[in-house]
Amino acid sequence: MANKPIQFFIRLRKMTIGLLKDKMVQIAQITGRKRVDFRNFCVQVAKNTTFSPQEVGAIINLAIYTARDLVANGDTVEFGDMGTLMPSFRSKAVEQGQKFNANEHILKPTVKLILSKKYFELTGVSFERVPEPAKKTKAGTTPKP
């Protein structure tokens, strides 16, 4: 796959905190190039294998649901180069001496993804500055200059 530069534009912002508080600064902001949906992602993965895009999608989804079931049982799952999946939840504070009720005091059990720094750090990328996109009006149309 060819390496395309990551496109960005420069936006002026007024800083509200830090050493540059109340000063106008330039901030680079990434442009949204395009979103690759799951079906197209599976097609691209399948190009490098003997599997069909449907089989790739089924395998990815099976891996996701299997990992979720393992984490729901309290296990930590190393999810390849992406990172580690582990169970997490929020807990209410209960005063010492009072009975702790797990159904009442443990909230929002979730799957937590600890990202792999090696995988999620984009090294060797290039950048391309582009003009700032035109702002859209409330009706969704671009105003004429």
Side-chain angles (χ1 to χ4, degrees), residues 124-135:
V125 298
S126 59
F127 300 94
E128 175 185 18
R129 185 173 175 177
V130 296
E132 184 173 355
K135 294 184 181 181

Side-chain angles (χ1 to χ4, degrees), residues 69-80:
D69 288 344
L70 290 167
V71 173
N73 287 322
D75 297 329
T76 297
V77 178
E78 292 183 15
F79 207 64

Side-chain angles (χ1 to χ4, degrees), residues 5-138:
I6 296 175
Q7 295 180 341
F8 71 96
F9 59 91
I10 300 295
R11 179 162 279 165
L12 291 176
R13 297 261 190 227
K14 185 174 183 178
M15 289 296 290
T16 57
I17 59 172
L19 296 174
L20 300 175
K21 184 177 180 176
D22 296 327
K23 293 185 181 179
M24 292 299 290
V25 296
Q26 298 179 75
I27 302 290
Q29 187 170 335
I30 196 166
T31 62
R33 183 171 272 168
K34 72 174 187 177
R35 185 181 185 107
V36 178
D37 64 19
F38 185 70
R39 184 171 298 201
N40 286 326
F41 173 73
C42 292
V43 167
Q44 289 184 29
V45 172
K47 286 180 184 176
N48 299 318
T49 69
T50 58
F51 295 110
S52 71
Q54 293 80 14
E55 291 170 320
V56 170
I59 291 167
I60 291 171
N61 281 327
L62 180 62
I64 291 168
Y65 291 123
T66 301
R68 185 188 183 283
D69 288 344
L70 290 167
V71 173
N73 287 322
D75 297 329
T76 297
V77 178
E78 292 183 15
F79 207 64
D81 290 341
M82 188 177 293
T84 304
L85 300 169
M86 57 192 331
S88 181
F89 56 78
R90 292 182 52 212
S91 175
K92 287 185 179 179
V94 178
E95 193 174 334
Q96 188 174 359
Q98 290 186 346
K99 185 177 179 181
F100 186 91
N101 182 344
N103 291 329
E104 182 182 336
H105 298 116
I106 294 179
L107 310 170
K108 296 185 180 182
T110 60
V111 175
K112 185 176 183 180
L113 172 60
I114 308 299
L115 302 174
S116 164
K117 289 181 184 178
K118 180 177 79 174
Y119 179 77
F120 282 95
E121 195 170 282
L122 294 176
T123 56
V125 298
S126 59
F127 300 94
E128 175 185 18
R129 185 173 175 177
V130 296
E132 184 173 355
K135 294 184 181 181
K136 294 183 179 181
T137 62
K138 286 187 180 181

